[in-house]
PDB file of all heavy atoms in Angstrom:
ATOM      1  N   ARG A   1      -3.696  -4.729  -3.917  1.00  0.00           N
ATOM      2  CA  ARG A   1      -3.402  -3.729  -4.899  1.00  0.00           C
ATOM      3  C   ARG A   1      -2.089  -4.117  -5.604  1.00  0.00           C
ATOM      4  O   ARG A   1      -1.057  -4.369  -4.982  1.00  0.00           O
ATOM      5  CB  ARG A   1      -3.244  -2.379  -4.328  1.00  0.00           C
ATOM      6  CG  ARG A   1      -3.196  -1.251  -5.399  1.00  0.00           C
ATOM      7  CD  ARG A   1      -2.963   0.114  -4.797  1.00  0.00           C
ATOM      8  NE  ARG A   1      -1.574   0.274  -4.324  1.00  0.00           N
ATOM      9  CZ  ARG A   1      -1.088   1.397  -3.729  1.00  0.00           C
ATOM     10  NH1 ARG A   1      -1.914   2.424  -3.556  1.00  0.00           N
ATOM     11  NH2 ARG A   1       0.139   1.488  -3.350  1.00  0.00           N
ATOM     12  N   TYR A   2      -2.198  -4.172  -6.929  1.00  0.00           N
ATOM     13  CA  TYR A   2      -1.012  -4.516  -7.745  1.00  0.00           C
ATOM     14  C   TYR A   2      -0.722  -3.429  -8.716  1.00  0.00           C
ATOM     15  O   TYR A   2      -1.575  -3.039  -9.507  1.00  0.00           O
ATOM     16  CB  TYR A   2      -1.282  -5.825  -8.475  1.00  0.00           C
ATOM     17  CG  TYR A   2      -0.104  -6.284  -9.333  1.00  0.00           C
ATOM     18  CD1 TYR A   2       0.967  -6.923  -8.753  1.00  0.00           C
ATOM     19  CD2 TYR A   2      -0.138  -6.092 -10.706  1.00  0.00           C
ATOM     20  CE1 TYR A   2       2.037  -7.349  -9.542  1.00  0.00           C
ATOM     21  CE2 TYR A   2       0.924  -6.478 -11.485  1.00  0.00           C
ATOM     22  CZ  TYR A   2       2.013  -7.088 -10.939  1.00  0.00           C
ATOM     23  OH  TYR A   2       3.068  -7.525 -11.704  1.00  0.00           O
ATOM     24  N   ARG A   3       0.514  -2.945  -8.709  1.00  0.00           N
ATOM     25  CA  ARG A   3       0.960  -1.925  -9.602  1.00  0.00           C
ATOM     26  C   ARG A   3       2.228  -2.288 -10.287  1.00  0.00           C
ATOM     27  O   ARG A   3       3.036  -1.463 -10.759  1.00  0.00           O
ATOM     28  CB  ARG A   3       1.105  -0.558  -8.908  1.00  0.00           C
ATOM     29  CG  ARG A   3      -0.177  -0.094  -8.286  1.00  0.00           C
ATOM     30  CD  ARG A   3      -0.141   1.385  -7.914  1.00  0.00           C
ATOM     31  NE  ARG A   3       0.905   1.711  -6.963  1.00  0.00           N
ATOM     32  CZ  ARG A   3       1.029   2.895  -6.329  1.00  0.00           C
ATOM     33  NH1 ARG A   3       0.158   3.832  -6.581  1.00  0.00           N
ATOM     34  NH2 ARG A   3       2.015   3.103  -5.503  1.00  0.00           N
ATOM     35  N   GLY A   4       2.496  -3.607 -10.429  1.00  0.00           N
ATOM     36  CA  GLY A   4       3.719  -4.067 -11.116  1.00  0.00           C
ATOM     37  C   GLY A   4       4.666  -4.733 -10.084  1.00  0.00           C
ATOM     38  O   GLY A   4       4.508  -4.690  -8.916  1.00  0.00           O
ATOM     39  N   HIS A   5       5.661  -5.410 -10.687  1.00  0.00           N
ATOM     40  CA  HIS A   5       6.640  -6.058  -9.826  1.00  0.00           C
ATOM     41  C   HIS A   5       7.372  -5.041  -8.887  1.00  0.00           C
ATOM     42  O   HIS A   5       7.720  -3.964  -9.332  1.00  0.00           O
ATOM     43  CB  HIS A   5       7.730  -6.723 -10.729  1.00  0.00           C
ATOM     44  CG  HIS A   5       7.148  -7.788 -11.581  1.00  0.00           C
ATOM     45  ND1 HIS A   5       6.540  -8.922 -11.085  1.00  0.00           N
ATOM     46  CD2 HIS A   5       7.101  -7.934 -12.942  1.00  0.00           C
ATOM     47  CE1 HIS A   5       6.116  -9.722 -12.023  1.00  0.00           C
ATOM     48  NE2 HIS A   5       6.479  -9.128 -13.201  1.00  0.00           N
ATOM     49  N   GLY A   6       7.381  -5.401  -7.659  1.00  0.00           N
ATOM     50  CA  GLY A   6       7.968  -4.533  -6.630  1.00  0.00           C
ATOM     51  C   GLY A   6       6.966  -3.590  -6.015  1.00  0.00           C
ATOM     52  O   GLY A   6       7.284  -2.835  -5.086  1.00  0.00           O
ATOM     53  N   ASP A   7       5.752  -3.583  -6.504  1.00  0.00           N
ATOM     54  CA  ASP A   7       4.673  -2.756  -5.930  1.00  0.00           C
ATOM     55  C   ASP A   7       3.420  -3.580  -5.865  1.00  0.00           C
ATOM     56  O   ASP A   7       2.387  -3.306  -6.492  1.00  0.00           O
ATOM     57  CB  ASP A   7       4.415  -1.522  -6.808  1.00  0.00           C
ATOM     58  CG  ASP A   7       3.646  -0.432  -6.117  1.00  0.00           C
ATOM     59  OD1 ASP A   7       3.068  -0.787  -4.985  1.00  0.00           O
ATOM     60  OD2 ASP A   7       3.520   0.629  -6.647  1.00  0.00           O
ATOM     61  N   ASP A   8       3.506  -4.652  -5.036  1.00  0.00           N
ATOM     62  CA  ASP A   8       2.426  -5.656  -4.923  1.00  0.00           C
ATOM     63  C   ASP A   8       2.012  -5.699  -3.443  1.00  0.00           C
ATOM     64  O   ASP A   8       2.781  -6.157  -2.593  1.00  0.00           O
ATOM     65  CB  ASP A   8       2.986  -6.993  -5.389  1.00  0.00           C
ATOM     66  CG  ASP A   8       1.929  -8.086  -5.375  1.00  0.00           C
ATOM     67  OD1 ASP A   8       0.852  -7.875  -4.799  1.00  0.00           O
ATOM     68  OD2 ASP A   8       2.154  -9.163  -6.001  1.00  0.00           O
ATOM     69  N   MET A   9       0.879  -5.185  -3.150  1.00  0.00           N
ATOM     70  CA  MET A   9       0.410  -5.063  -1.733  1.00  0.00           C
ATOM     71  C   MET A   9      -0.754  -5.992  -1.455  1.00  0.00           C
ATOM     72  O   MET A   9      -1.851  -5.786  -2.009  1.00  0.00           O
ATOM     73  CB  MET A   9       0.077  -3.613  -1.399  1.00  0.00           C
ATOM     74  CG  MET A   9       1.183  -2.671  -1.499  1.00  0.00           C
ATOM     75  SD  MET A   9       0.657  -0.941  -1.060  1.00  0.00           S
ATOM     76  CE  MET A   9       0.371  -1.154   0.703  1.00  0.00           C
ATOM     77  N   ARG A  10      -0.546  -7.014  -0.650  1.00  0.00           N
ATOM     78  CA  ARG A  10      -1.579  -7.858  -0.179  1.00  0.00           C
ATOM     79  C   ARG A  10      -1.788  -7.644   1.323  1.00  0.00           C
ATOM     80  O   ARG A  10      -0.907  -7.892   2.124  1.00  0.00           O
ATOM     81  CB  ARG A  10      -1.326  -9.341  -0.450  1.00  0.00           C
ATOM     82  CG  ARG A  10      -1.119  -9.617  -1.935  1.00  0.00           C
ATOM     83  CD  ARG A  10      -0.636 -11.044  -2.171  1.00  0.00           C
ATOM     84  NE  ARG A  10      -0.364 -11.278  -3.628  1.00  0.00           N
ATOM     85  CZ  ARG A  10      -1.172 -11.819  -4.473  1.00  0.00           C
ATOM     86  NH1 ARG A  10      -2.360 -12.282  -4.032  1.00  0.00           N
ATOM     87  NH2 ARG A  10      -0.877 -12.021  -5.756  1.00  0.00           N
ATOM     88  N   ILE A  11      -2.917  -7.070   1.704  1.00  0.00           N
ATOM     89  CA  ILE A  11      -3.138  -6.646   3.053  1.00  0.00           C
ATOM     90  C   ILE A  11      -3.620  -7.811   3.929  1.00  0.00           C
ATOM     91  O   ILE A  11      -4.607  -8.457   3.598  1.00  0.00           O
ATOM     92  CB  ILE A  11      -4.242  -5.543   3.105  1.00  0.00           C
ATOM     93  CG1 ILE A  11      -3.818  -4.380   2.151  1.00  0.00           C
ATOM     94  CG2 ILE A  11      -4.369  -5.004   4.524  1.00  0.00           C
ATOM     95  CD1 ILE A  11      -2.495  -3.731   2.422  1.00  0.00           C
ATOM     96  N   PRO A  12      -2.903  -8.102   5.022  1.00  0.00           N
ATOM     97  CA  PRO A  12      -3.356  -9.201   5.928  1.00  0.00           C
ATOM     98  C   PRO A  12      -4.614  -8.810   6.641  1.00  0.00           C
ATOM     99  O   PRO A  12      -4.741  -7.658   7.116  1.00  0.00           O
ATOM    100  CB  PRO A  12      -2.186  -9.360   6.878  1.00  0.00           C
ATOM    101  CG  PRO A  12      -1.460  -8.042   6.884  1.00  0.00           C
ATOM    102  CD  PRO A  12      -1.626  -7.494   5.451  1.00  0.00           C
ATOM    103  N   LEU A  13      -5.559  -9.700   6.730  1.00  0.00           N
ATOM    104  CA  LEU A  13      -6.911  -9.408   7.296  1.00  0.00           C
ATOM    105  C   LEU A  13      -7.265 -10.488   8.308  1.00  0.00           C
ATOM    106  O   LEU A  13      -6.929 -11.658   8.208  1.00  0.00           O
ATOM    107  CB  LEU A  13      -8.012  -9.334   6.208  1.00  0.00           C
ATOM    108  CG  LEU A  13      -7.741  -8.204   5.161  1.00  0.00           C
ATOM    109  CD1 LEU A  13      -8.709  -8.418   4.018  1.00  0.00           C
ATOM    110  CD2 LEU A  13      -7.983  -6.822   5.798  1.00  0.00           C
ATOM    111  N   GLU A  14      -8.071 -10.053   9.316  1.00  0.00           N
ATOM    112  CA  GLU A  14      -8.535 -10.994  10.278  1.00  0.00           C
ATOM    113  C   GLU A  14      -9.742 -11.784   9.709  1.00  0.00           C
ATOM    114  O   GLU A  14     -10.430 -11.351   8.820  1.00  0.00           O
ATOM    115  CB  GLU A  14      -9.060 -10.263  11.529  1.00  0.00           C
ATOM    116  CG  GLU A  14      -7.974  -9.508  12.255  1.00  0.00           C
ATOM    117  CD  GLU A  14      -6.961 -10.403  12.869  1.00  0.00           C
ATOM    118  OE1 GLU A  14      -7.369 -11.532  13.317  1.00  0.00           O
ATOM    119  OE2 GLU A  14      -5.739 -10.057  12.954  1.00  0.00           O
ATOM    120  N   PRO A  15      -9.989 -13.059  10.271  1.00  0.00           N
ATOM    121  CA  PRO A  15     -11.170 -13.795   9.831  1.00  0.00           C
ATOM    122  C   PRO A  15     -12.445 -12.935  10.093  1.00  0.00           C
ATOM    123  O   PRO A  15     -12.529 -12.189  11.081  1.00  0.00           O
ATOM    124  CB  PRO A  15     -11.110 -15.023  10.739  1.00  0.00           C
ATOM    125  CG  PRO A  15      -9.748 -15.190  11.122  1.00  0.00           C
ATOM    126  CD  PRO A  15      -9.152 -13.794  11.219  1.00  0.00           C
ATOM    127  N   ASP A  16     -13.394 -13.024   9.189  1.00  0.00           N
ATOM    128  CA  ASP A  16     -14.655 -12.298   9.236  1.00  0.00           C
ATOM    129  C   ASP A  16     -14.491 -10.790   9.092  1.00  0.00           C
ATOM    130  O   ASP A  16     -15.375 -10.013   9.412  1.00  0.00           O
ATOM    131  CB  ASP A  16     -15.393 -12.580  10.526  1.00  0.00           C
ATOM    132  CG  ASP A  16     -15.966 -14.007  10.608  1.00  0.00           C
ATOM    133  OD1 ASP A  16     -16.169 -14.596   9.519  1.00  0.00           O
ATOM    134  OD2 ASP A  16     -16.232 -14.458  11.701  1.00  0.00           O
ATOM    135  N   ALA A  17     -13.360 -10.354   8.555  1.00  0.00           N
ATOM    136  CA  ALA A  17     -13.167  -8.962   8.311  1.00  0.00           C
ATOM    137  C   ALA A  17     -14.160  -8.390   7.321  1.00  0.00           C
ATOM    138  O   ALA A  17     -14.476  -7.203   7.340  1.00  0.00           O
ATOM    139  CB  ALA A  17     -11.737  -8.703   7.774  1.00  0.00           C
ATOM    140  N   GLY A  18     -14.712  -9.242   6.448  1.00  0.00           N
ATOM    141  CA  GLY A  18     -15.617  -8.770   5.455  1.00  0.00           C
ATOM    142  C   GLY A  18     -17.123  -8.923   5.794  1.00  0.00           C
ATOM    143  O   GLY A  18     -17.950  -8.661   4.908  1.00  0.00           O
ATOM    144  N   ARG A  19     -17.389  -9.360   7.034  1.00  0.00           N
ATOM    145  CA  ARG A  19     -18.830  -9.480   7.396  1.00  0.00           C
ATOM    146  C   ARG A  19     -19.514  -8.114   7.358  1.00  0.00           C
ATOM    147  O   ARG A  19     -18.903  -7.110   7.685  1.00  0.00           O
ATOM    148  CB  ARG A  19     -18.982 -10.115   8.733  1.00  0.00           C
ATOM    149  CG  ARG A  19     -18.847 -11.644   8.721  1.00  0.00           C
ATOM    150  CD  ARG A  19     -19.376 -12.309   9.958  1.00  0.00           C
ATOM    151  NE  ARG A  19     -19.285 -13.728   9.906  1.00  0.00           N
ATOM    152  CZ  ARG A  19     -20.185 -14.507   9.406  1.00  0.00           C
ATOM    153  NH1 ARG A  19     -21.331 -14.000   8.886  1.00  0.00           N
ATOM    154  NH2 ARG A  19     -20.036 -15.818   9.350  1.00  0.00           N
ATOM    155  N   TYR A  20     -20.798  -8.163   7.080  1.00  0.00           N
ATOM    156  CA  TYR A  20     -21.546  -6.888   6.949  1.00  0.00           C
ATOM    157  C   TYR A  20     -21.596  -6.165   8.339  1.00  0.00           C
ATOM    158  O   TYR A  20     -21.747  -6.888   9.369  1.00  0.00           O
ATOM    159  CB  TYR A  20     -22.923  -7.114   6.462  1.00  0.00           C
ATOM    160  CG  TYR A  20     -23.764  -5.873   6.305  1.00  0.00           C
ATOM    161  CD1 TYR A  20     -23.396  -4.985   5.220  1.00  0.00           C
ATOM    162  CD2 TYR A  20     -24.704  -5.464   7.166  1.00  0.00           C
ATOM    163  CE1 TYR A  20     -24.081  -3.824   5.042  1.00  0.00           C
ATOM    164  CE2 TYR A  20     -25.434  -4.278   6.989  1.00  0.00           C
ATOM    165  CZ  TYR A  20     -25.059  -3.450   5.953  1.00  0.00           C
ATOM    166  OH  TYR A  20     -25.775  -2.296   5.771  1.00  0.00           O
ATOM    167  N   ASP A  21     -21.451  -4.900   8.344  1.00  0.00           N
ATOM    168  CA  ASP A  21     -21.476  -4.126   9.624  1.00  0.00           C
ATOM    169  C   ASP A  21     -22.785  -3.378   9.660  1.00  0.00           C
ATOM    170  O   ASP A  21     -22.946  -2.296   9.140  1.00  0.00           O
ATOM    171  CB  ASP A  21     -20.311  -3.151   9.593  1.00  0.00           C
ATOM    172  CG  ASP A  21     -20.150  -2.410  10.898  1.00  0.00           C
ATOM    173  OD1 ASP A  21     -21.012  -2.575  11.779  1.00  0.00           O
ATOM    174  OD2 ASP A  21     -19.137  -1.719  11.101  1.00  0.00           O
ATOM    175  N   ALA A  22     -23.740  -3.931  10.417  1.00  0.00           N
ATOM    176  CA  ALA A  22     -25.066  -3.266  10.606  1.00  0.00           C
ATOM    177  C   ALA A  22     -24.979  -2.127  11.591  1.00  0.00           C
ATOM    178  O   ALA A  22     -25.873  -1.252  11.625  1.00  0.00           O
ATOM    179  CB  ALA A  22     -26.111  -4.274  11.034  1.00  0.00           C
ATOM    180  N   ILE A  23     -23.963  -2.086  12.438  1.00  0.00           N
ATOM    181  CA  ILE A  23     -23.829  -1.102  13.477  1.00  0.00           C
ATOM    182  C   ILE A  23     -23.058   0.122  13.033  1.00  0.00           C
ATOM    183  O   ILE A  23     -23.328   1.258  13.536  1.00  0.00           O
ATOM    184  CB  ILE A  23     -23.126  -1.701  14.716  1.00  0.00           C
ATOM    185  CG1 ILE A  23     -23.823  -2.955  15.232  1.00  0.00           C
ATOM    186  CG2 ILE A  23     -23.013  -0.657  15.824  1.00  0.00           C
ATOM    187  CD1 ILE A  23     -25.256  -2.658  15.589  1.00  0.00           C
ATOM    188  N   GLY A  24     -22.268   0.012  12.005  1.00  0.00           N
ATOM    189  CA  GLY A  24     -21.439   1.194  11.537  1.00  0.00           C
ATOM    190  C   GLY A  24     -22.226   2.377  11.197  1.00  0.00           C
ATOM    191  O   GLY A  24     -21.898   3.503  11.723  1.00  0.00           O
ATOM    192  N   PRO A  25     -23.300   2.301  10.392  1.00  0.00           N
ATOM    193  CA  PRO A  25     -24.059   3.518  10.116  1.00  0.00           C
ATOM    194  C   PRO A  25     -24.758   4.098  11.318  1.00  0.00           C
ATOM    195  O   PRO A  25     -24.913   5.348  11.444  1.00  0.00           O
ATOM    196  CB  PRO A  25     -25.076   3.025   9.092  1.00  0.00           C
ATOM    197  CG  PRO A  25     -24.471   1.813   8.441  1.00  0.00           C
ATOM    198  CD  PRO A  25     -23.698   1.183   9.577  1.00  0.00           C
ATOM    199  N   VAL A  26     -25.189   3.236  12.254  1.00  0.00           N
ATOM    200  CA  VAL A  26     -25.875   3.683  13.493  1.00  0.00           C
ATOM    201  C   VAL A  26     -24.894   4.479  14.338  1.00  0.00           C
ATOM    202  O   VAL A  26     -25.190   5.601  14.831  1.00  0.00           O
ATOM    203  CB  VAL A  26     -26.428   2.542  14.269  1.00  0.00           C
ATOM    204  CG1 VAL A  26     -27.096   3.010  15.538  1.00  0.00           C
ATOM    205  CG2 VAL A  26     -27.439   1.761  13.442  1.00  0.00           C
ATOM    206  N   ASP A  27     -23.674   3.887  14.512  1.00  0.00           N
ATOM    207  CA  ASP A  27     -22.685   4.651  15.307  1.00  0.00           C
ATOM    208  C   ASP A  27     -22.338   5.939  14.610  1.00  0.00           C
ATOM    209  O   ASP A  27     -22.076   6.989  15.255  1.00  0.00           O
ATOM    210  CB  ASP A  27     -21.423   3.821  15.492  1.00  0.00           C
ATOM    211  CG  ASP A  27     -21.610   2.664  16.427  1.00  0.00           C
ATOM    212  OD1 ASP A  27     -22.547   2.683  17.237  1.00  0.00           O
ATOM    213  OD2 ASP A  27     -20.767   1.666  16.370  1.00  0.00           O
ATOM    214  N   ALA A  28     -22.262   5.940  13.252  1.00  0.00           N
ATOM    215  CA  ALA A  28     -21.863   7.127  12.470  1.00  0.00           C
ATOM    216  C   ALA A  28     -22.866   8.273  12.695  1.00  0.00           C
ATOM    217  O   ALA A  28     -22.446   9.427  12.962  1.00  0.00           O
ATOM    218  CB  ALA A  28     -21.759   6.797  11.026  1.00  0.00           C
ATOM    219  N   ILE A  29     -24.186   7.998  12.652  1.00  0.00           N
ATOM    220  CA  ILE A  29     -25.133   9.039  12.780  1.00  0.00           C
ATOM    221  C   ILE A  29     -25.142   9.669  14.183  1.00  0.00           C
ATOM    222  O   ILE A  29     -25.267  10.883  14.356  1.00  0.00           O
ATOM    223  CB  ILE A  29     -26.586   8.579  12.407  1.00  0.00           C
ATOM    224  CG1 ILE A  29     -27.504   9.789  12.187  1.00  0.00           C
ATOM    225  CG2 ILE A  29     -27.191   7.671  13.448  1.00  0.00           C
ATOM    226  CD1 ILE A  29     -27.177  10.639  11.059  1.00  0.00           C
ATOM    227  N   VAL A  30     -24.833   8.840  15.171  1.00  0.00           N
ATOM    228  CA  VAL A  30     -24.700   9.350  16.566  1.00  0.00           C
ATOM    229  C   VAL A  30     -23.477  10.242  16.703  1.00  0.00           C
ATOM    230  O   VAL A  30     -23.560  11.352  17.224  1.00  0.00           O
ATOM    231  CB  VAL A  30     -24.692   8.217  17.553  1.00  0.00           C
ATOM    232  CG1 VAL A  30     -24.340   8.753  19.012  1.00  0.00           C
ATOM    233  CG2 VAL A  30     -25.973   7.429  17.571  1.00  0.00           C
ATOM    234  N   GLU A  31     -22.338   9.762  16.164  1.00  0.00           N
ATOM    235  CA  GLU A  31     -21.155  10.585  16.249  1.00  0.00           C
ATOM    236  C   GLU A  31     -21.286  11.883  15.444  1.00  0.00           C
ATOM    237  O   GLU A  31     -20.862  12.968  15.946  1.00  0.00           O
ATOM    238  CB  GLU A  31     -19.948   9.777  15.699  1.00  0.00           C
ATOM    239  CG  GLU A  31     -19.478   8.636  16.541  1.00  0.00           C
ATOM    240  CD  GLU A  31     -18.943   9.163  17.877  1.00  0.00           C
ATOM    241  OE1 GLU A  31     -17.936   9.840  17.852  1.00  0.00           O
ATOM    242  OE2 GLU A  31     -19.519   8.866  18.916  1.00  0.00           O
ATOM    243  N   LEU A  32     -21.921  11.819  14.350  1.00  0.00           N
ATOM    244  CA  LEU A  32     -22.118  13.067  13.479  1.00  0.00           C
ATOM    245  C   LEU A  32     -23.027  14.014  14.239  1.00  0.00           C
ATOM    246  O   LEU A  32     -22.862  15.244  14.112  1.00  0.00           O
ATOM    247  CB  LEU A  32     -22.665  12.649  12.149  1.00  0.00           C
ATOM    248  CG  LEU A  32     -21.650  11.887  11.257  1.00  0.00           C
ATOM    249  CD1 LEU A  32     -22.405  11.242  10.095  1.00  0.00           C
ATOM    250  CD2 LEU A  32     -20.584  12.879  10.705  1.00  0.00           C
ATOM    251  N   ALA A  33     -24.059  13.520  14.886  1.00  0.00           N
ATOM    252  CA  ALA A  33     -24.953  14.393  15.616  1.00  0.00           C
ATOM    253  C   ALA A  33     -24.250  15.091  16.737  1.00  0.00           C
ATOM    254  O   ALA A  33     -24.609  16.228  17.160  1.00  0.00           O
ATOM    255  CB  ALA A  33     -26.162  13.576  16.149  1.00  0.00           C
ATOM    256  N   LEU A  34     -23.209  14.467  17.250  1.00  0.00           N
ATOM    257  CA  LEU A  34     -22.396  15.069  18.323  1.00  0.00           C
ATOM    258  C   LEU A  34     -21.252  15.954  17.778  1.00  0.00           C
ATOM    259  O   LEU A  34     -20.436  16.484  18.519  1.00  0.00           O
ATOM    260  CB  LEU A  34     -21.756  13.940  19.177  1.00  0.00           C
ATOM    261  CG  LEU A  34     -22.744  13.116  19.991  1.00  0.00           C
ATOM    262  CD1 LEU A  34     -22.025  11.930  20.575  1.00  0.00           C
ATOM    263  CD2 LEU A  34     -23.366  14.007  21.108  1.00  0.00           C
ATOM    264  N   GLY A  35     -21.255  16.122  16.443  1.00  0.00           N
ATOM    265  CA  GLY A  35     -20.266  17.047  15.863  1.00  0.00           C
ATOM    266  C   GLY A  35     -18.906  16.423  15.581  1.00  0.00           C
ATOM    267  O   GLY A  35     -17.922  17.131  15.470  1.00  0.00           O
ATOM    268  N   ARG A  36     -18.878  15.118  15.460  1.00  0.00           N
ATOM    269  CA  ARG A  36     -17.571  14.478  15.190  1.00  0.00           C
ATOM    270  C   ARG A  36     -17.832  13.213  14.311  1.00  0.00           C
ATOM    271  O   ARG A  36     -18.906  12.946  13.966  1.00  0.00           O
ATOM    272  CB  ARG A  36     -16.909  14.055  16.527  1.00  0.00           C
ATOM    273  CG  ARG A  36     -17.723  13.078  17.358  1.00  0.00           C
ATOM    274  CD  ARG A  36     -17.301  13.009  18.798  1.00  0.00           C
ATOM    275  NE  ARG A  36     -18.003  11.950  19.486  1.00  0.00           N
ATOM    276  CZ  ARG A  36     -18.325  12.038  20.783  1.00  0.00           C
ATOM    277  NH1 ARG A  36     -17.926  13.067  21.515  1.00  0.00           N
ATOM    278  NH2 ARG A  36     -18.927  11.029  21.415  1.00  0.00           N
ATOM    279  N   GLY A  37     -16.701  12.573  13.905  1.00  0.00           N
ATOM    280  CA  GLY A  37     -16.846  11.376  13.081  1.00  0.00           C
ATOM    281  C   GLY A  37     -16.960  11.712  11.615  1.00  0.00           C
ATOM    282  O   GLY A  37     -16.817  12.854  11.172  1.00  0.00           O
ATOM    283  N   GLU A  38     -17.110  10.678  10.779  1.00  0.00           N
ATOM    284  CA  GLU A  38     -17.054  10.805   9.329  1.00  0.00           C
ATOM    285  C   GLU A  38     -18.285  10.125   8.728  1.00  0.00           C
ATOM    286  O   GLU A  38     -18.671   9.014   9.132  1.00  0.00           O
ATOM    287  CB  GLU A  38     -15.820  10.157   8.763  1.00  0.00           C
ATOM    288  CG  GLU A  38     -15.724  10.234   7.250  1.00  0.00           C
ATOM    289  CD  GLU A  38     -14.538   9.452   6.673  1.00  0.00           C
ATOM    290  OE1 GLU A  38     -13.857   8.746   7.483  1.00  0.00           O
ATOM    291  OE2 GLU A  38     -14.287   9.580   5.457  1.00  0.00           O
ATOM    292  N   ASN A  39     -18.915  10.754   7.796  1.00  0.00           N
ATOM    293  CA  ASN A  39     -20.026  10.183   7.035  1.00  0.00           C
ATOM    294  C   ASN A  39     -19.489   9.469   5.817  1.00  0.00           C
ATOM    295  O   ASN A  39     -19.184  10.094   4.818  1.00  0.00           O
ATOM    296  CB  ASN A  39     -21.043  11.294   6.653  1.00  0.00           C
ATOM    297  CG  ASN A  39     -22.307  10.709   6.080  1.00  0.00           C
ATOM    298  OD1 ASN A  39     -22.376   9.562   5.759  1.00  0.00           O
ATOM    299  ND2 ASN A  39     -23.343  11.559   5.969  1.00  0.00           N
ATOM    300  N   ARG A  40     -19.382   8.180   5.890  1.00  0.00           N
ATOM    301  CA  ARG A  40     -18.835   7.358   4.801  1.00  0.00           C
ATOM    302  C   ARG A  40     -19.961   6.853   3.828  1.00  0.00           C
ATOM    303  O   ARG A  40     -19.685   6.121   2.961  1.00  0.00           O
ATOM    304  CB  ARG A  40     -18.024   6.162   5.336  1.00  0.00           C
ATOM    305  CG  ARG A  40     -16.823   6.603   6.156  1.00  0.00           C
ATOM    306  CD  ARG A  40     -15.925   5.360   6.554  1.00  0.00           C
ATOM    307  NE  ARG A  40     -15.584   4.603   5.412  1.00  0.00           N
ATOM    308  CZ  ARG A  40     -14.586   4.854   4.572  1.00  0.00           C
ATOM    309  NH1 ARG A  40     -13.875   5.986   4.764  1.00  0.00           N
ATOM    310  NH2 ARG A  40     -14.299   4.097   3.562  1.00  0.00           N
ATOM    311  N   SER A  41     -21.135   7.282   4.076  1.00  0.00           N
ATOM    312  CA  SER A  41     -22.228   6.919   3.232  1.00  0.00           C
ATOM    313  C   SER A  41     -23.239   8.067   3.120  1.00  0.00           C
ATOM    314  O   SER A  41     -24.397   7.936   3.551  1.00  0.00           O
ATOM    315  CB  SER A  41     -22.898   5.625   3.690  1.00  0.00           C
ATOM    316  OG  SER A  41     -23.226   5.686   5.105  1.00  0.00           O
ATOM    317  N   PRO A  42     -22.810   9.221   2.576  1.00  0.00           N
ATOM    318  CA  PRO A  42     -23.658  10.407   2.581  1.00  0.00           C
ATOM    319  C   PRO A  42     -24.774  10.372   1.450  1.00  0.00           C
ATOM    320  O   PRO A  42     -24.769   9.465   0.645  1.00  0.00           O
ATOM    321  CB  PRO A  42     -22.680  11.548   2.259  1.00  0.00           C
ATOM    322  CG  PRO A  42     -21.648  10.861   1.438  1.00  0.00           C
ATOM    323  CD  PRO A  42     -21.518   9.440   2.013  1.00  0.00           C
TER     324      PRO A  42
END
C-alpha cells in the first residue's frame, strides 16, 4: 500500500502465501454452524 513518501507499506509474506485455500470455506461453514467465526464470502 502506497500513500506517498513516508507512508509506503510493503508487507513481508511467507513463500506460498498466495496459494489458493480450498479448506478455508469448509472450515468457515463449520465454525459458523457452531455460532462462531466470520463469513468472508457471504
